């Protein structure tokens, strides 16, 4: 049986911090219930403000509530009147002094809670759930996410029998602890009942030690400074080669026979590497090879990548049974056959070019050979 665990709770203490920061003592249960009441009240009161998360911190006599939102103007109101009103309302609930900080979410398309909320509002507004989900996936991937998965469940389209549908793009490595995966559950109240929406968004992988402070890197809208401790980007996205648009989302496997008939001669540079066997080379591998060449050549001379990954490949997750059709496109590859030139270089000495292209060849999943232009004369 599949044991499903919350991706955020699974990473707490590793790459994610806690949303409630306080010492419980003898009154742990009372404080926990109070936190739940605060969150439920704020989520209901600020339903139209696109809330991301609510962080609660406590000292002896003060409760600090930090609201992360994509639309801070709705919460602040004219001249900050709404914030003061909200503070008084929370005082009545908690019977303690309350301080409210408002942080703006700069890229709401990469926040699972906001994406799930947007889809739910559209479904409630009688927009086609397929259209709403596909638009959300496209905007999230456009903002640089490595992957997104959306599962919608309930009486979809007013059907008599409830069902669930899954939409996925990119990669969602749930078993990888260093993968920065955001998860949220949203609900849409329709005339035929509740429809649940689960969203997973992968924002890359975190290497090294990460600061687990709850508000690290956030910017206070009211003019205050963000907490100290430095800000780390969620991931350094690699600008990998891939087509902007493809005629077909998935393609057939195809065949790779014989030697390369085109692209088998040096066309731009004096040095290059060519393949000795057939293989699929991914955009990530080509980018790694390009970086290896650029670093060794110290940004001198010129390089040309002679292949472009435009063939979509699919991959099913480990839990999927046989059948069920093809999976979502996982990435793009370029099929190469023996003799195909992969990378060319120019403008550097022979020894530098040879070593740079050797380092590049080590990044590729195929045996290669260093080649030199027939009319090259070393100066």
């Amino acid at each position: 049986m599949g044991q499903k665990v919350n991706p955020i709770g699974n990473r707490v203490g590793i790459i994610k911090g806690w949303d409630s920061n306080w010492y419980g003592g003898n009154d742990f249960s009372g404080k926990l219930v109070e936190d739940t009441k605060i969150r439920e009240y704020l989520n209901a009161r600020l339903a139209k403000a696109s809330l991301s998360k609510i962080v609660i911190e406590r000292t002896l006599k003060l409760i600090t509530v930090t609201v992360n939102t994509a639309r801070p103007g709705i919460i602040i109101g004219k001249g900050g009147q709404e914030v003061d009103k909200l503070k008084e309302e929370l005082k009545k609930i908690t019977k303690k002094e309350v301080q409210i900080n408002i942080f703006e979410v700069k890229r709401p398309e990469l926040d699972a809670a906001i994406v799930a909320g947007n889809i739910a509002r559209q479904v409630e507004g009688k927009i086609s759930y397929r259209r709403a989900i596909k638009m959300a996936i496209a905007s999230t991937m456009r903002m640089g996410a490595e992957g997104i998965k959306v599962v919608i469940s309930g009486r979809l389209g007013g059907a008599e029998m409830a069902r669930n549908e899954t939409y996925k793009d990119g990669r969602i490595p749930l078993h990888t602890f260093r993968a920065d995966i955001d998860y949220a559950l949203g609900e849409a109240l329709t005339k035929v009942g509740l429809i649940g929406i689960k969203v997973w968004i992968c924002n890359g992988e975190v290497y090294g030690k990460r600061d687990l402070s709850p508000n690290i890197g956030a910017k206070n809208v009211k003019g205050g400074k963000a907490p100290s401790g430095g800000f780390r980007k969620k991931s350094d996205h690699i600008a990998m080669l891939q087509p902007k648009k493809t005629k077909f989302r998935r393609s057939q496997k195809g065949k790779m026979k014989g030697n390369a008939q085109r692209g088998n001669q040096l066309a731009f540079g004096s040095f290059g590497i060519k393949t000795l066997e057939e293989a699929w080379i991914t955009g990530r591998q080509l980018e790694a090879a390009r970086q290896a060449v650029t670093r060794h050549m110290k940004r001198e001379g010129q390089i040309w990548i002679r292949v472009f990954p435009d063939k979509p490949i699919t991959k099913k997750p480990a839990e999927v049974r046989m059948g069920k059709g093809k999976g979502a496109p996982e990435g793009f590859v370029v099929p190469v056959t023996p003799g195909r030139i992969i990378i060319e270089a120019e403008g550097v000495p022979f020894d530098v070019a040879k070593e740079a292209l050797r380092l590049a060849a080590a990044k590729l999943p195929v045996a290669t050979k260093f080649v030199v232009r027939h009319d090259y004369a070393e100066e």
Side-chain angles (χ1 to χ4, degrees), residues 95-112:
K95 297 180 175 57
K96 295 185 185 75
E97 282 295 315
V98 177
Q99 179 187 339
I100 297 178
N101 296 328
I102 300 164
F103 288 170
E104 184 181 4
V105 178
K106 290 292 183 185
R107 295 196 289 177
E109 294 88 355
L110 298 179
D111 192 286

Side-chain angles (χ1 to χ4, degrees), residues 184-206:
L185 168 64
E187 291 178 343
L189 182 59
T190 65
K191 65 179 183 180
V192 294
L194 272 179
I195 287 179
I197 298 141
K198 290 180 178 179
V199 177
W200 293 259
I201 295 176
C202 177
N203 289 308
E205 296 184 2
V206 178

Side-chain angles (χ1 to χ4, degrees), residues 75-347:
I75 302 175
I76 296 168
K78 193 174 181 181
Q81 293 174 357
E82 289 295 319
V83 176
D84 297 333
K85 197 186 292 183
L86 199 60
K87 196 182 290 185
E88 293 301 319
E89 291 165 3
L90 289 178
K91 271 186 190 176
K92 289 178 184 176
I93 294 172
T94 60
K95 297 180 175 57
K96 295 185 185 75
E97 282 295 315
V98 177
Q99 179 187 339
I100 297 178
N101 296 328
I102 300 164
F103 288 170
E104 184 181 4
V105 178
K106 290 292 183 185
R107 295 196 289 177
E109 294 88 355
L110 298 179
D111 192 286
I114 295 173
V115 171
N118 288 343
I119 295 171
R121 299 294 80 75
Q122 290 180 64
V123 171
E124 287 176 349
K126 297 184 180 178
I127 291 173
S128 165
Y129 68 91
R130 283 193 187 93
R131 185 182 174 195
I133 291 171
K134 285 176 180 176
M135 284 171 61
I137 288 174
S139 62
T140 298
M141 295 302 287
R142 206 181 303 122
M143 289 300 291
E146 285 201 5
I148 176 172
K149 182 169 78 169
V150 180
V151 177
I152 185 165
S153 182
R155 292 181 61 184
L156 305 178
E160 283 289 319
M161 189 174 287
R163 67 180 192 275
N164 65 56
E165 290 187 12
T166 303
Y167 298 84
K168 182 174 179 284
D169 198 0
R171 57 190 284 269
I172 306 286
L174 295 177
H175 290 197
T176 307
F177 282 165
R178 67 168 177 264
D180 189 354
I181 293 177
D182 196 14
Y183 166 79
L185 168 64
E187 291 178 343
L189 182 59
T190 65
K191 65 179 183 180
V192 294
L194 272 179
I195 287 179
I197 298 141
K198 290 180 178 179
V199 177
W200 293 259
I201 295 176
C202 177
N203 289 308
E205 296 184 2
V206 178
Y207 294 95
K209 191 164 175 63
R210 192 181 205 184
D211 195 332
L212 301 181
S213 303
N215 300 318
I216 199 71
K219 186 180 179 184
N220 196 334
V221 174
K222 295 184 78 176
K225 291 182 179 178
S228 60
F231 174 60
R232 288 192 55 169
K233 287 171 70 176
K234 282 191 172 180
S235 64
D236 297 321
H237 296 294
I238 300 173
M240 284 179 291
L241 294 171
Q242 68 177 55
K244 286 184 179 177
K245 189 176 180 183
T246 55
K247 187 174 181 182
F248 300 106
R249 190 157 173 259
R250 301 180 178 121
S251 69
Q252 293 187 333
K253 187 175 181 181
K255 295 179 180 178
M256 291 186 292
K257 286 186 177 179
N259 297 329
Q261 301 300 314
R262 293 184 298 173
N264 54 6
Q265 300 289 330
L266 291 173
F268 303 101
S270 299
F271 316 101
I273 49 173
K274 70 176 182 180
T275 59
L276 299 177
E277 54 191 2
E278 64 272 355
W280 281 356
I281 301 177
T282 67
R284 187 178 287 272
Q285 290 163 344
L286 282 173
E287 178 63 20
R290 185 197 65 79
Q291 288 186 3
V293 174
T294 307
R295 284 172 183 161
H296 188 77
M297 289 169 53
K298 298 180 179 174
R299 301 188 183 277
E300 294 178 1
Q302 284 182 287
I303 63 167
W304 293 268
I305 297 176
R306 292 286 307 278
V307 292
F308 185 83
D310 56 359
K311 181 185 180 72
I313 56 166
T314 61
K315 183 182 176 186
K316 291 183 184 177
E319 296 87 1
V320 175
R321 296 190 184 97
M322 290 175 67
K324 300 283 186 183
K326 282 192 170 188
E330 189 78 9
F332 290 88
V333 299
V334 54
V336 295
T337 48
R340 184 69 188 266
I341 301 291
I342 304 292
I343 300 175
E344 294 186 27
E346 180 65 86

